[in-house]
Amino acid sequence: MKILVCITHVPDTTSKIQFTDNNTQFDKTGVQFIIGPYDDYALARAVELRDQTSGSLTVLNVGEAETEPTLRKALAIGADEAIRVNAFPSDSLFVANQIAHYAKEGGYDLILMGRESIDFNGGMVHGMVAEMLGMPSISPVMKLDLEGETAKLAREIEGGKEYLEVNLPFVAGCQEPIAEWKIPNMRGIMSARTKPLNVVEAVSEDAATKTISYELPPAKGAVKLIDKDNVEELVQLLQNEAKVL
Amino acid sequence: MSILVYIEHADGAVKKTSLEALSYAKALAEKEGKEVTAVALGTIDQGALAKAGSAGAAKVLQVEDDKLNAGIIQAHANVVAQAFEKVGADTLVLAKSSLGDAVAARLTIKLNAGLVSNVVALPETDGGYKVKRSIYTGKAFAYSEITTANKILAVKKNAVALKVDGADAPVEKLEVTLSDSDFAAKITSTDKATDEISLPEADIIVSGGRGMKGPENWNLIEDLAKAMGAATGCSKPVSDSGWRPHHEHVGQTGVKVAPSLYVAVGISGAIQHLAGVNASKYIVVINKDPEAPFFKAADYGIVGDAFEVLPKLTEAVKAIK
């Protein structure tokens, strides 16, 4: 079983989002970057499936040199090797092109990633990669078990779950509770230093969109506090001021 | 030229988010001198489909095939691509949703189209085709330019006002070609809570956190939700401890919601929870800890014990209904 997990390198959820250069660049000052939380779920399940099948697990990120600590963390969690496609991930089509190009050569049985990144929240890359490779795509996947060449999955639908079966190979966008996040242990951290992290150059493919500028939402006004013994006032405000009741 | 809108339906009705996408497409069509055609997949009552006209569709194409009732991504993408070509469209509009995202992603390749997701406003077309989108889970916006001739816009829930005028649209059958490979993924069963209001669709949501102390107290949340006509949600620790099912978990890694009113009871407001609710129009926070970070994100707040406040609030809501 050959598994490919594609990860994003994104600002920690708690980061304060700011922009520089007249709102055209993301301000990285003081921002800690992490493996995308949904990608972390995909990686955790992939480690388990690799162990079950005695297979191999490759982790891939499209990014510049600064993303290598994030890839090292994925190696510490359990990936066998890491690939960095050396390019700025300019849009989802560009990223999907790089993944599909790399995966085409690799003969992967399973391509997993998070349902979406937490920076641009597009949730598009898994579907694009699947279409480029002519494979089925399934998202958002909450459960993934293998029975030989068949995978049994559960995906979230509005107000419930749907159970599916699909033959390998396929592409899945993952989310919780597919597996518990894995925290690297000391052995993992030590062995990650010697595992291969290969850098490959990007294939030249045009992007279909480009981001011109950014904007922050207007600041939130102060909360209007209502006395706990006067809940009627809240109902009245919701009805007449907010007009939502 | 035409704008095609992929509409989703549930239990015989076009989803509200798809009606919003239709309203968006209609405003775009008026700006660009185009016509809006909707495409619906699966068996659905024609009268219900005709209602798509009320939100802006001049015509509805229906691909009536039982196999399309389930949201098999490859099959849906293939059908929409054929409809797109059939009507001579250059723009596809759809509501951002789990299924919509997955279908749209495949269509970008099939149609050689540029896609922008989480769209919150009509495109600006002076010198390029610039679309405003929500990014960083609602913490910022970006203006993205689409550089391809074909365009796909996935509209964020509650970002555009729904406009309905009562007009019905003619429904036409559309014949498409599908192969077995489109149905490579097979749905074996569905596990759906049918008597609940779906969270992503809900206009009002009442959510409970650890402050509710245990699942046995959820009747207080449910009573208020019932009085308000709301869906119920919960915070991550609540679903993690099994007090409530996972599909009720609102937050960064759970369901992201954008209701008109979000009522958070006994939830402190961890950043991951805020990321899932910050698109709500109004937020009410009820918490006995005046220092709870959620108060900073709230429009209205009550500092008090949920067990005292909730029954009184439920009665007060009932009194005005």
Side-chain angles (χ1 to χ4, degrees):
Chain A
M1 165 76 55
K2 284 186 78 175
I3 307 171
L4 179 68
V5 174
C6 308
I7 62 169
T8 52
H9 165 87
V10 291
D12 184 300
T13 319
T14 57
S15 305
K16 190 170 163 57
I17 302 299
Q18 298 181 101
F19 304 101
T20 59
D21 295 358
N22 201 19
N23 278 335
T24 59
Q25 300 294 324
F26 178 75
D27 184 357
K28 293 178 191 164
T29 315
V31 171
Q32 195 193 341
F33 284 82
I34 56 166
I35 299 174
Y38 297 107
D39 306 322
D40 238 345
Y41 287 113
L43 179 61
R45 186 63 188 135
V47 169
E48 293 166 358
L49 292 171
R50 187 272 320 272
D51 291 347
Q52 276 171 29
T53 60
S54 312
S56 69
L57 169 54
T58 303
V59 63
L60 180 148
N61 169 261
V62 179
E64 293 169 320
E66 64 185 15
T67 75
E68 289 194 3
T70 301
L71 278 167
R72 286 276 173 221
K73 186 173 175 208
L75 290 170
I77 287 170
D80 301 307
E81 60 161 351
I83 305 296
R84 180 170 69 81
V85 179
N86 185 29
F88 176 74
S90 56
D91 86 333
S92 50
L93 181 69
F94 176 82
V95 171
N97 263 318
Q98 307 309 321
I99 295 170
H101 180 80
Y102 186 82
K104 212 179 284 173
E105 311 294 319
Y108 293 97
D109 301 297
L110 201 51
I111 301 174
L112 303 181
M113 60 191 86
R115 67 174 293 178
E116 66 181 49
S117 66
I118 61 160
D119 49 8
F120 274 44
N121 309 108
M124 298 293 157
V125 173
H126 41 79
M128 290 178 177
V129 169
E131 182 67 29
M132 288 170 182
L133 297 174
M135 291 180 187
S137 49
I138 301 168
S139 174
V141 174
M142 309 164 73
K143 189 173 185 295
L144 166 54
D145 292 313
L146 294 175
E147 284 181 16
E149 288 297 297
T150 305
K152 299 202 166 179
L153 305 103
R155 77 168 168 192
E156 185 159 288
I157 54 170
E158 278 145 16
K161 275 188 243 181
E162 202 162 58
Y163 297 90
L164 300 99
E165 275 183 21
V166 66
N167 288 337
L168 302 173
F170 64 93
V171 183
C174 306
Q175 68 168 46
E176 72 172 333
I178 192 165
E180 291 273 335
W181 280 353
K182 298 197 183 333
I183 296 159
N185 57 25
M186 192 44 78
R187 201 169 139 235
I189 293 166
M190 296 304 284
S191 68
R193 291 184 189 170
T194 52
K195 285 179 181 174
L197 193 165
N198 298 318
V199 179
V200 300
E201 289 309 313
V203 287
S204 65
E205 292 282 356
D206 293 336
T209 62
K210 60 181 176 195
T211 298
I212 309 290
S213 62
Y214 301 95
E215 189 179 290
L216 290 171
K220 187 106 187 165
V223 59
K224 206 177 260 187
L225 286 176
I226 294 127
D227 190 277
K228 68 180 166 60
D229 296 317
N230 192 12
V231 295
E232 290 77 14
E233 190 191 342
L234 174 63
V235 174
Q236 200 253 327
L237 286 167
L238 292 175
Q239 191 177 26
N240 301 322
E241 189 178 79
K243 300 190 192 317
V244 288
L245 273 189
Chain B
M1 273 291 177
S2 207
I3 296 175
L4 184 69
V5 181
Y6 167 70
I7 55 175
E8 294 182 60
H9 48 88
D11 306 321
V14 178
K15 285 190 178 177
K16 181 172 170 253
T17 46
S18 290
L19 293 175
E20 287 174 357
L22 278 165
S23 289
Y24 178 93
K26 191 181 183 192
L28 181 58
E30 280 167 3
K31 196 175 159 184
E32 297 186 333
K34 292 176 183 169
E35 194 181 65
V36 177
T37 306
V39 60
L41 282 63
T43 42
I44 176 165
D45 173 65
Q46 299 224 351
L49 275 187
K51 294 275 181 283
S54 175
K59 184 168 73 180
V60 182
L61 299 176
Q62 183 185 14
V63 184
E64 204 173 14
D65 183 340
D66 288 354
K67 283 196 289 186
L68 294 171
N69 289 345
I72 296 293
I73 295 161
Q74 265 176 301
H76 276 228
N78 201 352
V79 167
V80 178
Q82 291 177 52
F84 191 87
E85 201 161 309
K86 177 96 175 182
V87 300
D90 63 359
T91 310
L92 173 70
V93 173
L94 70 167
K96 175 157 173 87
S97 70
S98 296
L99 181 61
D101 283 355
V103 170
R106 298 195 79 108
L107 282 163
T108 57
I109 312 305
K110 286 186 187 297
L111 305 174
N112 197 15
L115 175 147
V116 175
S117 185
N118 273 315
V119 169
V120 295
L122 286 177
E124 292 172 17
T125 47
D126 302 337
Y129 195 92
K130 275 194 294 181
V131 191
K132 186 177 183 180
R133 68 198 295 198
S134 167
I135 57 169
Y136 292 106
T137 322
K139 286 197 274 188
F141 298 104
Y143 289 87
S144 292
E145 184 179 357
I146 303 183
T147 51
T148 49
N150 282 344
K151 297 167 177 73
I152 303 180
L153 305 172
V155 182
K156 188 175 165 74
K157 180 179 180 268
N158 264 348
V160 289
L162 177 60
K163 285 186 194 147
V164 287
D165 62 10
D168 277 0
V171 180
E172 289 175 20
K173 296 275 181 261
L174 177 71
E175 296 298 326
V176 292
T177 319
L178 286 165
S179 70
D180 286 349
S181 67
D182 290 317
F183 297 95
K186 289 183 180 51
I187 291 170
T188 50
S189 65
T190 301
D191 182 4
K192 202 169 177 184
T194 47
D195 55 345
E196 293 170 20
I197 302 169
S198 138
L199 262 186
E201 296 270 310
D203 205 42
I204 304 178
I205 295 168
V206 180
S207 260
R210 260 186 304 203
M212 293 307 296
K213 298 207 163 50
E216 66 281 5
N217 300 320
W218 232 256
N219 60 315
L220 294 173
I221 297 284
E222 281 159 355
D223 289 349
L224 178 61
K226 201 170 170 201
M228 287 182 159
T232 59
C234 68
S235 64
K236 188 171 189 306
V238 164
S239 71
D240 281 353
S241 12
W243 295 0
R244 302 298 302 167
H246 177 264
H247 70 257
E248 288 189 16
H249 159 206
V250 173
Q252 170 95 63
T253 55
V255 184
K256 276 181 277 180
V257 298
S260 300
L261 174 61
Y262 187 79
V263 183
V265 188
I267 303 177
S268 62
I271 198 107
Q272 290 82 355
H273 191 82
L274 292 180
V277 306
N278 62 9
S280 307
K281 216 177 271 173
Y282 287 92
I283 295 176
V284 171
V285 169
I286 300 167
N287 203 304
K288 65 179 178 190
D289 174 11
E291 301 298 320
F294 218 154
F295 282 115
K296 289 200 176 72
D299 299 281
Y300 304 105
I302 293 180
V303 178
D305 187 340
F307 297 89
E308 274 174 42
V309 174
L310 280 179
K312 284 196 249 170
L313 187 54
T314 302
E315 286 314 309
V317 172
K318 279 185 187 163
I320 61 145
K321 291 273 175 173

